[in-house]
Amino acid sequence: MFRALQCFRSTGAVLVGASLTTVLQIRKVHMESVRKINVANFMAQPITPIETLEASNDIRVRMELMIMKIQHDFVRALEGEENFGKKFKVDRWERNEGGGGITCVIEGGDTFEKGGVNVSVVQGMLPPGAVQQMRARGKKLGDGELPFFAAGISCVIHPRNPYVPTIHFNYRYFELVEDDGSKMWWFGGGTDLTPYYYYEDDAEHFHKTLKEACDVHDKKFYPKYKKWCDDYFTITHRNETRGIGGIFFDDVDSPSLEECFQFVQTCAESVKPSYIPIVRKHKNDNYGDRERTWQLIRRGRYVEFNLIYDRGTKFGLYTPGSRVESILMSLPTLARWEYMHEPEPDTDEANLLKVTRNPVDWVSKLSS
Amino acid sequence: MFRALQCFRSTGAVLVGASLTTVLQIRKVHMESVRKINVANFMAQPITPIETLEASNDIRVRMELMIMKIQHDFVRALEGEENFGKKFKVDRWERNEGGGGITCVIEGGDTFEKGGVNVSVVQGMLPPGAVQQMRARGKKLGDGELPFFAAGISCVIHPRNPYVPTIHFNYRYFELVEDDGSKMWWFGGGTDLTPYYYYEDDAEHFHKTLKEACDVHDKKFYPKYKKWCDDYFTITHRNETRGIGGIFFDDVDSPSLEECFQFVQTCAESVKPSYIPIVRKHKNDNYGDRERTWQLIRRGRYVEFNLIYDRGTKFGLYTPGSRVESILMSLPTLARWEYMHEPEPDTDEANLLKVTRNPVDWVSKLSS
């Protein structure tokens, strides 16, 4: 029902030939109850009351339902890769200042050493520190605090086997009321992969899946957001990227709210097929101390990026009442730092570094 | 000779009764060669040419010689605590933009898991990003790049035994030429301790040693800089301090250059007696997995502080040509993150957290 109505709203064309009565009947259903929600399809009770979610078709509601579904589907898919039935722990939390979230965490799995898939739906006043983070991105905003709404899903999965890459994705919708009372809204997000060892066919599968998702909406998206991802996930002081990239975008607010939402939904739905086959392929590969040590050193770089550069982390830590444990879920169980570590030339470790120092041109490769 | 002359320069009083000939002889020696330098007393050849160091009594030269001596003495004292003769590795490096440093690193010692004692003497143009870091501290500076000079010693030591605390200290002298051509100078620094288990007598020894060093110069220093330390080393998002504090100060430029230098020198000299006895007392204590895991979790907090809040780290990473490996030496070999970790009440681990959430009032305790 939800999907059917969405289709109706975004492309009136499907109704060509339908009688006026039919249209009015659909509208009536829509007015009384947009949809029926089955909480069993989510990891927990949604943040917004069920009645509101069933009765409204507001973008806030549609975003919340979309991210709840993505969370559930991805968590169940990951659990399916655990060889001994390890499950995610589910924490539903509320925020004094308004809203809350659902944090799903796995620790000590045999496939996944640590991972989190988190949904948050929050509103309130954005403090000057967090406003500052946004102004740095070119938004013209006042100096004081501003009313905001944000709904998003964010996820980092650190597998145990060094041959399985870490994945991160985040999709979010944001509203801000400016000093003059006008409302701004935009979407942001992306999916990116951080392998410890570089397999070209895995990288190709990953980028191809993201490109196909983007291409559904606009052929210009993948080239643009692939580059944005390489730029964003750069560890400047190391002169290398965090991993092999993917897509990243922010401040997306055109051509229309509906089209932006559809694009973000397609991206979010592409996470599972982009990643799960790679997990399945390598999760039982043999490895030893050498590979584990290298994995932990690369995880140290992951920590450096997240704590020094990541705007999402900074934004979270600057937002009062934010849930620190959900934000810092992205940090691995273990990370390692060695002074002046540099792999021997022509090893598999050195090969990975090459790719992080000179990102592969997947735009050309995938279109040739 | 160096010390004697310093004494002469700072307190002319010692010369009461000396004949004019003696004074002129001393001055002559001073003019021709202020001092004779024995490089064997340092960890490496100093950054500034020996002839300059021997001929000048400029504050830059005196600071460089002081930090070189502190580096040598502290490194040798730490090596003395290694049970199987592990030594520090010494890297002398030069910076294209001007100056250089000496990085001394220990990794995999039986007493010290990882540690660095670094000296740097650098000059050049300070880029806008780094100037910004200083403006945030209340200095009124322009928007562009500014000529600067900095000489400092910084050190972090992460012992292997969880009953031995991590120590950090940093003492630095800074000069900046403003847009109008006027020169600003100031000193900064501090010493602080991060135990994994709280022993009140160790904490008292540590704070008492620092207080005595401060009291030589001004009884107001310890109370002021103890509080500054607690405030500075706060992990805001965790609502706890990094450790049990110590002293911290910045922008110190009064009453005179000479007195500031003498104060900083006394502080730097107090590091060894504040720390080495604690290492010796606990380095062979028995411990198991529980203590090691707790130590690694606290090291995770150390990483959070250093990468998110520490101004020295940020300043370093924003300075072009800075030596990243020397800056990030402060990170431990291993760090651990667990979701929602909280020790059981009334355990030794919970006891440490209490102290980090409510710093001990050493000012009252030590004066009573």
Side-chain angles (χ1 to χ4, degrees), chain A residues 91 107 325 333 337 339-340, chain B residues 91 325 333 337 339-340:
Chain A
D91 274 347
E107 274 183 310
E325 288 290 343
T333 302
W337 284 271
Y339 177 67
M340 299 287 274
Chain B
D91 273 347
E325 288 289 344
T333 302
W337 284 271
Y339 176 66
M340 299 285 274

Side-chain angles (χ1 to χ4, degrees), chain A residues 64-314:
Chain A
E64 180 171 347
L65 291 170
M66 188 270 275
I67 58 183
M68 291 291 295
K69 182 175 188 310
I70 294 288
Q71 180 184 47
H72 174 269
D73 293 355
F74 196 55
V75 163
R76 294 296 182 231
L78 293 168
E79 285 176 347
E81 300 307 319
E82 282 293 327
N83 297 313
F84 303 102
K86 184 87 185 177
K87 300 287 175 205
F88 275 75
K89 181 180 184 299
V90 181
D91 274 347
R92 187 182 184 280
W93 49 273
E94 293 185 4
R95 188 171 160 274
N96 288 336
E97 296 82 355
I102 294 149
T103 296
C104 298
V105 175
I106 191 166
E107 274 183 310
D110 76 305
T111 300
F112 302 109
E113 187 174 15
K114 189 175 174 193
V117 189
N118 308 331
V119 150
S120 67
V121 179
V122 299
Q123 57 224 295
M125 297 302 288
L126 202 64
V131 172
Q132 191 63 37
Q133 290 295 324
M134 304 212 149
R135 292 176 69 198
R137 289 163 27 199
K139 298 221 171 281
K140 289 187 194 73
L141 302 165
D143 283 326
E145 54 174 28
L146 299 174
F148 81 104
F149 168 87
I153 181 166
S154 77
C155 164
V156 175
I157 303 295
H158 293 295
R160 190 175 294 278
N161 194 307
Y163 292 109
V164 183
T166 284
I167 192 172
H168 160 252
F169 74 89
N170 164 244
Y171 290 98
R172 59 195 179 274
Y173 169 72
F174 213 94
E175 284 179 10
L176 200 63
V177 180
E178 288 179 277
D179 284 340
D180 64 4
S182 60
K183 192 177 90 174
M184 296 174 73
W185 61 262
W186 68 93
F187 290 89
T191 306
D192 68 283
L193 203 68
T194 307
Y196 303 91
Y197 290 93
Y198 183 66
Y199 291 101
E200 196 179 8
D201 48 353
D202 293 345
E204 180 172 338
H205 164 79
F206 179 75
H207 275 274
K208 195 159 171 270
T209 309
L210 303 190
K211 181 178 185 297
E212 284 168 1
C214 291
D215 284 356
V216 170
H217 299 273
D218 192 326
K219 294 266 187 193
K220 290 192 225 84
F221 284 172
Y222 176 75
K224 186 175 170 189
Y225 299 150
K226 189 274 185 201
K227 185 183 180 317
W228 199 340
C229 189
D230 288 335
D231 292 344
Y232 180 81
F233 290 105
T234 293
I235 307 174
T236 312
H237 62 273
R238 299 284 189 184
N239 195 27
E240 60 189 39
T241 56
R242 188 172 75 172
I244 61 157
I247 54 170
F248 181 89
F249 55 87
D250 204 354
D251 303 317
V252 166
D253 57 4
S254 68
S256 71
L257 185 68
E258 184 59 35
E259 282 162 285
C260 291
F261 174 74
Q262 295 293 340
F263 166 59
V264 167
Q265 178 166 309
T266 310
C267 288
E269 285 168 350
S270 74
V271 171
K272 201 168 78 174
S274 78
Y275 185 57
I276 300 293
I278 300 174
V279 174
R280 199 166 296 157
K281 187 169 155 196
H282 293 291
K283 67 178 182 177
N284 296 320
D285 287 0
N286 289 331
Y287 68 93
D289 279 352
R290 170 183 171 151
E291 291 79 15
R292 174 66 169 166
T293 300
W294 174 242
Q295 181 196 46
L296 297 189
I297 287 171
R298 294 305 301 168
R299 287 197 172 154
R301 304 295 170 94
Y302 208 90
V303 171
E304 288 178 26
F305 179 83
N306 284 26
L307 298 185
I308 299 176
Y309 300 109
D310 188 55
R311 286 204 312 252
T313 305
K314 279 190 203 171

